[in-house]
Amino acid sequence: MAPLRLGSLAPNFDAETTTGPVNFHEFIGDSWGVLFSHPADFTPVCTTELGEVQRLVPEFNKRNVKVIGLSTNDLTDHAKWVDDINEVNNVTVNFPIIADKNRKVATLYDMLDSVEHDASNVVNGIPFTVRSVFVIDPSKRIRLILTYPASCGRNFDELLRAIDSLQLSDKQPIATPANWKPGEDVIVHVSVPTEKAKEIFPEVKETLPYLRFATLPEETN
């Protein structure tokens, strides 16, 4: 199987989850999707991450994004673990978490760790997943891939920021600069001549011939 890259069609799959059976492409539907993996249930970093994602569900909803987690335990373990997540984080997890005990989805998305990278994340020769994140658009194309080691919790505020940038660049001929946040100036796409950019944006500042900042119209922010 060819490696997954930006622009690849996200592989479809059927899976059991904490909210019932899921066909992945049908689950995403006309929305964006975030698929994110966890090494195993009852692990400390994952417990904080899933609580944070639940807290951010309203933010994902604003962006028309559906989230779905994955861990390599069965549904019985998932149910017990969700109780812990809810208690520790003072939330009620209501998004699906895939039970990927046979590592079918983890293999499909190349999420599995290796002894060479982290021997502690491979038990009895069986690898657990790294902290993978796939952002998938409504056409089911992969738009962003992040891979964190098992030891490093993810920054979900950064994930939201990246989704904002992706969605904005789908609507406007722009790119976003380092540390950009919604409402700040953007970069005019290199394919757009400066004179044309001045017709599109309220204000264009040419710092260099190839670096032009633009203010977005109010209704875009």
Side-chain angles (χ1 to χ4, degrees):
M1 181 177 173
L4 296 178
R5 305 183 186 280
L6 299 184
S8 294
L9 182 68
N12 194 23
F13 57 84
D14 294 300
E16 295 296 325
T17 81
T18 50
T19 61
V22 160
N23 175 278
F24 187 50
H25 283 189
E26 290 178 4
F27 169 76
I28 294 174
D30 295 328
S31 302
W32 289 64
V34 170
L35 170 64
F36 62 109
S37 64
H38 300 271
D41 292 8
F42 309 109
T43 48
V45 176
C46 302
T47 301
T48 65
E49 287 187 320
L50 285 161
E52 181 62 15
V53 171
Q54 181 58 51
R55 273 192 288 270
L56 290 172
V57 162
E59 292 299 319
F60 285 110
N61 288 343
K62 287 179 187 175
R63 295 161 174 81
N64 191 30
V65 177
K66 294 180 179 178
V67 295
I68 184 167
L70 174 149
S71 186
T72 55
N73 291 62
D74 60 25
L75 287 177
T76 300
D77 282 346
H78 278 11
K80 296 174 182 175
W81 188 32
V82 166
D83 287 342
D84 288 348
I85 295 164
N86 290 341
E87 180 180 356
V88 168
N89 297 282
N90 193 29
V91 297
T92 300
V93 172
N94 57 23
F95 58 84
I97 303 171
I98 296 165
D100 195 35
K101 189 174 182 180
N102 64 4
R103 290 155 174 75
K104 171 188 165 186
V105 179
T107 301
L108 190 63
Y109 277 79
D110 195 20
M111 298 174 174
L112 295 174
D113 212 338
S114 65
V115 172
E116 292 78 11
H117 170 253
D118 184 357
S120 70
N121 207 31
V122 180
V123 178
N124 297 324
I126 301 173
F128 291 90
T129 61
V130 290
R131 299 186 192 283
S132 296
V133 182
F134 293 86
V135 175
I136 298 158
D137 69 18
S139 68
K140 313 303 182 292
R141 295 288 171 179
I142 296 172
R143 300 294 299 277
L144 182 145
I145 301 172
L146 296 171
T147 303
Y148 289 63
S151 60
C152 182
R154 285 162 280 204
N155 185 330
F156 290 97
D157 288 332
E158 164 59 14
L159 181 59
L160 287 169
R161 189 194 76 90
I163 291 170
D164 284 335
S165 174
L166 288 169
Q167 293 183 342
L168 184 59
S169 64
D170 278 357
K171 298 173 184 174
Q172 298 278 354
I174 60 97
T176 53
N179 301 323
W180 171 87
K181 296 182 182 65
E184 296 179 347
D185 283 356
V186 296
I187 293 172
V188 178
H189 195 274
V190 293
S191 65
V192 180
T194 298
E195 290 308 310
K196 180 64 175 177
K198 290 177 180 178
E199 298 174 11
I200 299 172
F201 304 106
E203 183 178 357
V204 175
K205 293 168 281 188
E206 186 172 354
T207 304
L208 293 166
Y210 58 85
L211 176 58
R212 297 147 310 151
F213 289 97
T215 302
L216 289 171
E218 282 294 327
E219 63 271 15
T220 307
N221 288 305

